[in-house]
Amino acid sequence: MPSRISGQDLIQIKDAVVQDFDSSNWRELGALTNMIDEVERHPRLLRSLSFGDPDYDGLALTFLRKMIGQEDENLDIVMKYIHKTCGNAGENVSSEVAQGRKIVFSPTIFDVPSDSIDTDLISVMMPFDASMSGIYNAIVLAAQQAGFECQRADNIWDHSTVIQDVFTLIFKSYIVVCDFTGKNPNVFYEAGIAHALGKHVVPITQSEQDVPFDLRHHRFAKYLNNGEGLERLKEDLASRFLTLATRRSSSGWV
């Protein structure tokens, strides 16, 4: 079974640990991964940390790999603990790992979810209107055809505010479908969040005039809200989803 974490990701995690971990952090992570005895008995790890020995960097790297496990069984535990503990470490939540500068930011309007990114999840941003149900059903069928799960924020009630549920859904998603039909301001806002988080955004609309001017240079799917039009929309979206499915990558660290 291939590892879910790349060598580069492991080095980035190690760098965060070397910068921020003390002996208590190693013991706490050892307790979470059922390896506290290995931490305590290691002949060099905590000693090298305490004395600032030059071999600490390499020891931290090899011990983290051991903690994560041969089949990455502790990967989620390790990543969540380091993300919480290391102030300068940030998880890459974007749908594609781009080259160049990376940033870490901390939103104040939303709570950052503890959920992992789900590369099988497509979320749909559209008005909560009964007249849009046929369109949503077409998107769901397209997602299923491409091997994805599809959700809309009105299917969820995890928080007291709708916008937090919306943000959480976008945060977790690999693809975000945005229907700009009717120039709904909420959908514009949600598309902005999805773009800022680096998600694959798939715009759809019944009229090109409803697509914001700043986004008209991006490709979008235009459709008719009738039987034939929705069947065509389903096929167009399934094709796009299948293309994006080949570009999945594991989350990294910055």
Side-chain angles (χ1 to χ4, degrees):
M1 181 179 180
S3 176
R4 288 188 290 142
I5 184 170
S6 69
Q8 184 60 43
D9 288 344
L10 183 62
I11 290 171
Q12 290 177 325
I13 293 172
K14 178 269 299 179
D15 289 342
V17 164
V18 168
Q19 180 170 331
D20 289 343
F21 260 32
D22 58 23
S23 59
S24 294
N25 295 131
W26 277 115
R27 291 184 175 95
E28 287 177 357
L29 188 53
L32 291 171
T33 56
N34 295 316
M35 290 186 63
I36 191 167
D37 289 342
E38 285 87 342
V39 172
E40 296 285 2
R41 290 200 303 261
H42 195 285
R44 294 288 302 159
L45 182 66
L46 297 184
R47 175 185 170 86
S48 293
L49 168 62
S50 177
F51 288 97
D53 293 342
D55 63 347
Y56 175 61
D57 196 278
L59 291 169
L61 180 66
T62 55
F63 201 81
L64 280 167
R65 178 65 265 184
K66 185 177 180 181
M67 273 186 156
I68 288 169
Q70 290 185 346
E71 297 184 356
D72 292 350
E73 58 268 24
N74 292 325
L75 178 58
D76 292 339
I77 295 172
V78 170
M79 292 182 74
K80 285 181 180 179
Y81 182 82
I82 293 173
H83 189 216
K84 180 184 73 173
T85 304
C86 300
N88 292 319
E91 184 181 0
N92 176 31
V93 301
S94 298
S95 297
E96 198 164 313
V97 179
Q99 298 301 312
R101 183 183 180 193
K102 310 292 191 301
I103 59 172
V104 176
F105 68 96
S106 301
T108 56
I109 300 298
F110 311 108
D111 293 326
V112 176
S114 60
D115 311 67
S116 299
I117 307 306
D118 185 349
T119 56
D120 292 327
L121 179 61
I122 295 174
S123 60
V124 181
M125 303 296 131
M126 64 192 313
F128 300 155
D129 191 302
S131 66
M132 307 289 281
S133 59
I135 302 156
Y136 179 61
N137 289 337
I139 300 170
V140 170
L141 291 172
Q144 293 172 347
Q145 187 172 321
F148 287 93
E149 177 192 357
C150 191
Q151 288 189 14
R152 199 166 64 170
D154 58 337
N155 301 138
I156 303 167
W157 191 354
D158 291 336
H159 301 90
S160 59
T161 59
V162 173
I163 192 59
Q164 181 62 48
D165 281 332
V166 169
F167 178 79
T168 298
L169 182 56
I170 295 172
F171 179 93
K172 291 166 55 179
S173 298
Y174 177 66
I175 298 171
V176 181
V177 177
C178 294
D179 192 334
F180 292 128
T181 300
K183 298 183 179 179
N184 185 283
N186 292 330
V187 177
F188 292 168
Y189 182 68
E190 291 151 4
I193 293 173
H195 277 133
L197 290 177
K199 303 300 181 178
H200 291 305
V201 176
V202 177
I204 65 174
T205 185
Q206 294 176 38
S207 169
E208 62 272 15
Q209 298 305 314
D210 290 343
V211 179
F213 176 78
D214 289 346
L215 295 179
R216 286 183 193 168
H217 63 287
H218 292 282
R219 294 181 65 181
F220 56 86
K222 183 180 176 182
Y223 68 93
L224 296 175
N225 191 8
N226 57 34
E228 183 179 350
L230 295 181
E231 181 64 24
R232 175 66 182 272
L233 176 66
K234 184 191 76 171
E235 296 304 319
D236 287 346
L237 289 179
S239 175
R240 180 59 177 155
F241 296 161
L242 285 168
T243 298
L244 293 175
T246 66
R247 292 160 58 176
R248 292 183 180 104
S249 62
S250 61
S251 293
W253 289 69
V254 296

